[in-house]
Amino acid sequence: MTLDFSVKGKLKICMDDYVKNMLEDFPIKFNKDSKQETPAGNDLLEAGKGKLLSAEYRQIFHTTVARELYVSKRARLDIHPTTTILASRVREPTESDWKKCVRMMQYSFCTLLYHLTLSAESLQVMKWMIDASFAVHPDFKSHTGGTLSFGGGAAQAMSKKQKLNSRSSTEAELIAVDNVVTMILWTKLFMEWHGYPIKKNILYQDNKSAILLEENGHNFFITDQVEKGNVKIEYCPTDCWRY
């Protein structure tokens, strides 16, 4: 991992050699004519279809997804949602799962020079954006997504399947905040320990009903943290979110 501070006020995180090694080890090779604009298609969350992979290809699938998951948490947050889904399929990957893995690797090849670039408007203001996709998994569980930004780029990201079934998008939003809140509070303590007292720890959501419930005792832990000033919840329409 290369940390590039050559541009004042910005940090570029690169893992080009790591990604090149993954592509070299992958059995399918891509060339300059390969094109893939997204790491996953609309079928990402669909249950695996087709035959189970052979033992050899199960091992390749498992190794590839694990390596992509590693890089997705450090320098390529754009593939993180895809890798977390594929990571849930490593025990019994099917032919359709393999196609999704190939697409992710092709995208990695086409975007090899994409780098995570971070900047900060203030190291005392943290901006969290949390959302939920309602009942998108085959078992009708929802999915949590969350990111942290200090102004430019995502410093942290979370993408995970919710463990509980919810009855509405509002409930899914409540579960999403509960999924991410420990990271929200831990990061605040981490920054303050390093000498950056956090003046604002803002949690943005696009569901006003969920915000009202969080601020008024539906989730006692979240309400308590709001009352203590450890986090502030603000409404922000999805279309206005940026990193």
Side-chain angles (χ1 to χ4, degrees):
M1 184 164 59
T2 302
L3 305 180
D4 182 353
F5 293 93
S6 59
V7 178
K8 185 177 180 179
K10 294 186 177 182
L11 165 63
K12 182 185 291 186
I13 304 174
C14 312
M15 295 183 70
D16 297 356
D17 291 340
Y18 186 91
V19 177
K20 287 179 183 177
N21 288 335
M22 286 196 303
L23 291 166
E24 290 174 359
D25 294 340
F26 197 62
I28 297 177
K29 306 303 178 185
F30 308 105
N31 56 50
K32 61 181 180 179
D33 296 322
S34 299
K35 294 182 179 180
Q36 190 55 261
E37 296 182 350
T38 60
N42 294 331
D43 62 344
L44 175 64
L45 296 174
E46 293 180 2
K49 299 177 182 178
K51 297 180 181 178
L52 293 176
L53 299 182
S54 66
E56 177 186 1
Y57 271 79
R58 280 201 303 270
Q59 183 61 45
I60 295 172
F61 181 89
H62 194 159
T63 300
T64 300
V65 171
R67 294 175 75 179
E68 285 277 25
L69 188 61
Y70 178 81
V71 75
S72 78
K73 290 292 288 183
R74 288 157 179 79
R76 293 299 304 270
L77 275 63
D78 52 324
I79 64 171
H80 186 56
T82 304
T83 56
T84 57
I85 296 300
L86 294 182
S88 68
R89 312 282 173 81
V90 295
R91 293 198 177 195
E92 295 184 328
T94 64
E95 292 173 332
S96 66
D97 295 323
W98 175 252
K99 290 180 181 179
K100 295 171 187 176
C101 181
V102 172
R103 176 175 178 144
M104 179 178 64
M105 291 298 288
Q106 185 175 5
Y107 173 79
S108 296
F109 174 84
C110 295
T111 59
L112 181 61
L113 298 181
Y114 282 20
H115 302 124
L116 174 62
T117 302
L118 302 176
S119 61
E121 296 170 357
S122 171
L123 289 177
Q124 295 182 316
V125 178
M126 300 197 305
K127 299 178 180 180
W128 292 88
M129 297 153 192
I130 300 175
D131 203 2
S133 295
F134 174 61
V136 291
H137 288 278
D139 57 2
F140 301 105
K141 287 186 172 66
S142 302
H143 199 88
T144 294
T147 62
L148 162 66
S149 177
F150 287 93
Q156 287 201 56
M158 172 185 282
S159 178
K160 65 181 297 183
K161 179 180 177 180
Q162 296 184 357
K163 295 182 179 181
L164 303 174
N165 282 101
S166 51
R167 294 180 294 176
S168 68
S169 58
T170 296
E171 283 191 358
E173 296 273 358
L174 295 174
I175 295 171
V177 171
D178 194 69
N179 287 159
V180 186
V181 68
T182 51
M183 185 183 293
I184 292 174
L185 299 176
W186 179 88
T187 306
K188 178 178 183 292
L189 294 172
F190 176 85
M191 292 297 294
E192 291 177 338
W193 190 87
H194 282 278
Y196 298 96
I198 300 301
K199 295 180 179 180
K200 292 183 180 179
N201 194 11
I202 307 170
L203 190 168
Y204 291 107
Q205 281 188 282
D206 62 359
N207 189 307
K208 292 183 178 180
S209 297
I211 293 173
L212 288 172
L213 290 168
E214 288 155 0
E215 291 180 335
N216 292 282
H218 181 81
N219 184 319
F220 294 117
F221 182 77
I222 300 298
T223 304
D224 183 52
Q225 296 304 316
V226 170
E227 291 176 349
K228 289 179 177 178
N230 289 326
V231 63
K232 180 181 180 182
I233 305 174
E234 293 187 8
Y235 173 72
C236 182
T238 306
D239 292 342
C240 297
W241 289 16
R242 64 179 179 84
Y243 308 106

